[in-house]
């Protein structure tokens, strides 16, 4: 089922709060912020420019499992540089395809160089389920004769 909703619409519904971190911050500061905000990834920005993304997965595989200190390791050392991004008009369906193809969980949405927000795999799944639920309700109403156009 194609979901034509644009990423910018999904961001408007979920809220536009964007938490970011500097590449010079420590990994400890990043995981502390992720924990406080209950999020799984942070865009890494210099000024207003997206330069990377850091996730819980980056911490586990590049710090914890390698015996590094999160309080001494800068975000720039472990972040994913040049993350996969989408534009504001990218559809929910194509965002899901991109996330699946690249095996990622977080997709920054950029309008030119402006970071509008992040769409997570959880956001996409919730939107798809809500859309399917609405379609089912409309079909049930139509079948039972209660549908009005």
């Amino acid at each position: 089922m194609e979901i034509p909703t644009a990423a910018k619409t999904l961001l408007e519904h979920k809220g536009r709060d964007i938490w970011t971190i500097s590449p010079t911050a420590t990994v400890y500061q990043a995981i502390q912020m992720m924990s406080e905000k209950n999020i799984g990834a942070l865009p890494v920005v210099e000024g207003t420019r997206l330069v990377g993304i850091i996730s819980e997965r980056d911490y586990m595989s590049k710090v914890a499992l390698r015996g590094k200190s999160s309080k001494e390791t800068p975000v720039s050392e472990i972040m994913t540089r040049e993350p996969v991004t989408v534009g504001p008009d990218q559809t929910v369906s194509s965002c899901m395809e991109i996330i699946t193809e690249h095996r990622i969980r977080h997709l920054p949405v950029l309008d030119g160089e402006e970071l509008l927000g992040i769409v997570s795999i959880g956001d996409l799944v919730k939107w798809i389920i809500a859309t399917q639920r609405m379609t089912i309700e409309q079909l049930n109403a139509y079948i039972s004769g209660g549908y009005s156009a």
Side-chain angles (χ1 to χ4, degrees), residues 6-81:
K8 64 184 172 193
T9 303
L10 193 149
L11 289 174
E12 289 166 6
H13 279 83
K14 78 175 247 185
R16 292 269 180 140
D17 291 333
I18 306 172
W19 295 283
T20 63
I21 196 143
S22 164
T24 59
T26 65
V27 171
Y28 182 83
Q29 291 169 312
I31 58 176
Q32 185 176 37
M33 185 183 294
M34 284 188 269
S35 177
E36 288 171 3
K37 305 299 184 187
N38 196 29
I39 55 176
L42 282 169
V44 182
V45 297
E46 277 184 324
T48 59
R49 192 171 66 88
L50 180 71
V51 295
I53 191 166
I54 182 171
S55 69
E56 297 165 325
R57 189 184 282 178
D58 291 324
Y59 167 71
M60 287 186 347
S61 65
K62 298 174 185 174
V63 177
L65 291 176
R66 293 189 181 167
K68 291 184 178 183
S69 168
S70 62
K71 290 186 177 183
E72 295 172 11
T73 305
V75 166
S76 62
E77 191 174 311
I78 71 160
M79 70 183 187
T80 300
R81 297 177 188 277

Side-chain angles (χ1 to χ4, degrees), residues 92-121:
V92 166
S93 293
S94 64
C95 287
M96 185 59 106
E97 288 174 15
I98 290 166
I99 277 182
T100 302
E101 177 185 329
H102 292 277
R103 298 177 50 104
I104 56 177
R105 297 179 184 171
H106 303 90
L107 198 53
V109 180
L110 298 178
D111 188 0
E113 288 199 11
E114 179 188 1
L115 178 63
L116 300 179
I118 289 193
V119 174
S120 72
I121 192 165

